[in-house]
Amino acid sequence: MDSPSLAVSPHVLPGPLGTPAGLSPYTLVIQHAAQVLTLAGGPTDRPLAGDALGNWAVIEDGYVACLGPTIVAVGRMSELTPARIGPGTRLINATGCVVMPGVVECHTHLVFGGNRASEFERKLRGESYLDILAGGGGILSTVRATRAASEAELLANALQHLEGFRRYGVTTLEAKSGYGLDRDTELRLVRVAREAGHQQPVRVVPTFLGAHVVPPEFKAAGPRAYVDFILREVLPDLKGQVAFVDVFCEEGAFPLAVARYYLEQARKMGFRLKIHAEQLHDLGGCEMAASLGALSVDHCDYLTPAAAARLGQQSQGRTVAVLLPLVPLFLRQEKFAAGREFIDAGLPVALSTDFNPGSCPSKNVWLSLSVACLKMGFTPKEAVAAVTLNAAWAIGQQRNCGSLEPGKQADVLVLRRASIAEIPYWLGENPVRDVVIGGCLC
């Protein structure tokens, strides 16, 4: 931790002298916040769902205190213990600001080569996502660019993207593979994601999405032959490297039966499960994955409210529906996930960007949050919960981050907003003033 005399922000002030002997002084205190969004007060054994998604504690005129990388106290300023502030305590003045947990990005495709700007105009002229994919573009276009990129180039790109995410207040991020579609490149993508996580402050959680689409080499053999190849040649080398296996269950990608077979086999190998499903069609992938214990089902634009209610009951509220509102926005689609109905049905929901080069070239999680309110029926409190605590549940990080509670990682944001209602109101703006990761101001 830097000396308090070395100010790294105009909002950082040196702490007062004279901490009494026998007390461990706080290393960091964020104080005088207009509102502290704790995300505390809900169940501890499952994600927030139903009324609980918007029924958590907000502290007026509050503070957050940290000792090293850990939060140790959260409360009103009147409850702050002056004796815990010593000569080494860094004080951050949050007057007039909202303080909240760091954003958890629970669905990104971080590592890839090239971009697909050339396809943007084709979409504007009316070509669909699946039409472009069927013609060898889309995901397959990025696969070609990614295979051609060196590991050093992929790492440099990933680090640049992570710096962009950090500026938006992202402190933990899931990074999916899926743009290699062969053994060596897929392993390289996981390796790059892990290395990128080691080289900068944002924590990276890798997920294996080798079953993104069928690569050209397996076009004749078909989807089942390709997933058998993954199960035989790739997944054994990923044990201990990734916790999650994902699959894209969609027309033009993997049919329901093959997706089920693949997830069943991956589960037997000890991996936890995720799925891209009901993005463009209702194929039943979300309910299938939930029946196998999937931690999350992602996209869900064509998931019906009735199926969402069944899914929530089937998983006992432990499978999170990760909604990605910027994807239909960028693809100019009219249909958005029925977020309000999902919430009312008791299905846990999270929000993310789905950052990727084809259907969401944006890291602006705050825009995603606003669009969720405008097009999916979220309230501001529900949307904040969906990008913090529930997003942490969606990637198995709920014990570490997602809320401001003693014992959790000291990942904290100070926003240039006076109240939670202002967060989605200022459309597309980045409200982040200060980012703290692991107790350090970044």
Side-chain angles (χ1 to χ4, degrees):
M1 183 66 64
D2 294 335
S3 164
S5 62
L6 300 177
V8 295
S9 162
H11 310 287
V12 177
L13 305 173
L17 302 176
T19 301
L23 292 174
S24 296
Y26 299 134
T27 52
L28 174 71
V29 177
I30 302 171
Q31 59 181 353
H32 298 297
Q35 292 183 335
V36 176
L37 313 183
T38 68
L39 276 297
T44 58
D45 63 338
R46 65 194 64 205
L48 300 175
D51 291 342
L53 190 66
N55 188 24
W56 39 266
V58 176
I59 298 174
E60 309 284 341
D61 188 25
Y63 77 95
V64 178
C66 310
L67 189 57
T70 306
I71 296 170
V72 292
V74 180
R76 297 183 182 277
M77 283 302 299
S78 60
E79 301 166 346
L80 177 61
T81 305
R84 299 294 301 274
I85 298 177
T89 303
R90 185 181 295 279
L91 300 179
I92 297 179
N93 181 7
T95 299
C97 296
V98 166
V99 171
M100 63 173 280
V103 169
V104 179
E105 264 281 23
C106 59
H107 186 129
T108 83
H109 301 253
L110 178 72
V111 187
F112 56 86
N115 64 64
R116 303 217 292 269
S118 62
E119 295 177 2
F120 184 56
E121 287 191 55
R122 294 172 62 184
K123 292 173 183 174
L124 296 178
R125 290 195 297 265
E127 288 190 67
S128 74
Y129 178 86
L130 290 180
D131 288 341
I132 293 172
L133 176 62
I139 294 169
L140 294 175
S141 173
T142 299
V143 168
R144 291 191 292 273
T146 302
R147 288 180 177 181
S150 69
E151 189 158 333
E153 289 171 332
L154 293 172
L155 178 59
N157 288 341
L159 290 171
Q160 178 183 358
H161 293 315
L162 284 169
E163 171 61 17
F165 274 115
R166 186 193 59 78
R167 289 196 296 268
Y168 279 117
V170 173
T171 57
T172 299
L173 174 145
E174 186 218 34
K176 299 180 187 294
S177 71
Y179 290 124
L181 306 186
D182 61 28
R183 179 184 180 279
D184 290 345
T185 313
E186 283 296 317
L187 293 177
R188 182 160 69 245
L189 296 181
V190 171
R191 188 164 61 246
V192 167
R194 290 172 60 86
E195 179 59 25
H198 294 149
Q199 290 195 19
Q200 49 72 64
V202 177
R203 298 180 189 86
V204 175
V205 179
T207 288
F208 178 66
L209 181 59
H212 202 176
V213 295
V214 178
E217 298 87 344
F218 282 85
K219 185 175 181 179
R224 172 62 185 264
Y226 177 56
V227 300
D228 278 332
F229 163 77
I230 293 174
L231 292 165
R232 182 178 65 251
E233 302 291 339
V234 186
L235 283 186
D237 289 332
L238 288 173
K239 289 185 177 179
Q241 304 301 307
V242 301
F244 306 111
V245 164
D246 201 341
V247 60
F248 186 20
C249 180
E250 183 54 80
E251 292 184 12
F254 294 89
L256 182 64
V258 174
R260 174 185 285 276
Y261 163 75
Y262 176 60
L263 292 180
E264 287 174 339
Q265 299 307 309
R267 183 178 63 175
K268 290 178 182 177
M269 297 175 71
F271 294 97
R272 302 185 75 180
L273 309 180
K274 290 175 165 287
I275 193 169
H276 286 53
E278 273 72 83
Q279 178 183 355
L280 302 169
H281 302 90
D282 182 5
L283 303 183
C286 290
E287 288 189 86
M288 177 274 290
S291 74
L292 297 178
L295 194 63
S296 75
V297 294
D298 298 36
H299 284 287
C300 306
D301 293 321
Y302 282 78
L303 179 66
T304 68
R310 293 194 300 269
L311 193 159
Q313 294 172 355
Q314 181 182 53
S315 69
Q316 297 182 324
R318 289 181 170 81
T319 296
V320 181
V322 177
L323 311 185
L324 308 166
L326 296 188
V327 173
L329 179 69
F330 188 75
L331 295 181
R332 300 198 304 165
Q333 296 169 347
E334 296 298 322
K335 190 169 182 60
F336 288 75
R340 178 76 265 143
E341 289 84 351
F342 296 172
I343 295 167
D344 292 343
L347 178 64
V349 294
L351 292 169
S352 187
T353 58
D354 190 17
F355 171 70
N356 73 82
S359 61
C360 183
S362 175
K363 306 175 186 72
N364 191 342
V365 67
W366 306 103
L367 179 60
S368 181
L369 187 151
S370 295
V371 175
C373 292
L374 293 169
K375 302 295 287 187
M376 295 180 173
F378 282 69
T379 68
K381 284 192 75 174
E382 291 168 344
V384 167
V387 298
T388 53
L389 185 56
N390 274 17
W393 274 94
I395 57 172
Q397 294 294 308
Q398 68 277 2
R399 293 186 178 180
N400 301 320
C401 58
S403 62
L404 301 179
E405 299 178 88
K408 287 202 171 183
Q409 293 169 172
D411 297 346
V412 192
L413 306 181
V414 179
L415 307 185
R416 298 182 184 90
R417 299 290 180 262
S419 71
I420 191 172
E422 291 187 29
I423 296 174
Y425 169 74
W426 295 105
L427 187 66
E429 291 190 7
N430 182 5
V432 175
R433 194 193 79 182
D434 298 315
V435 180
V436 173
I437 303 178
C440 296
L441 192 62
C442 296

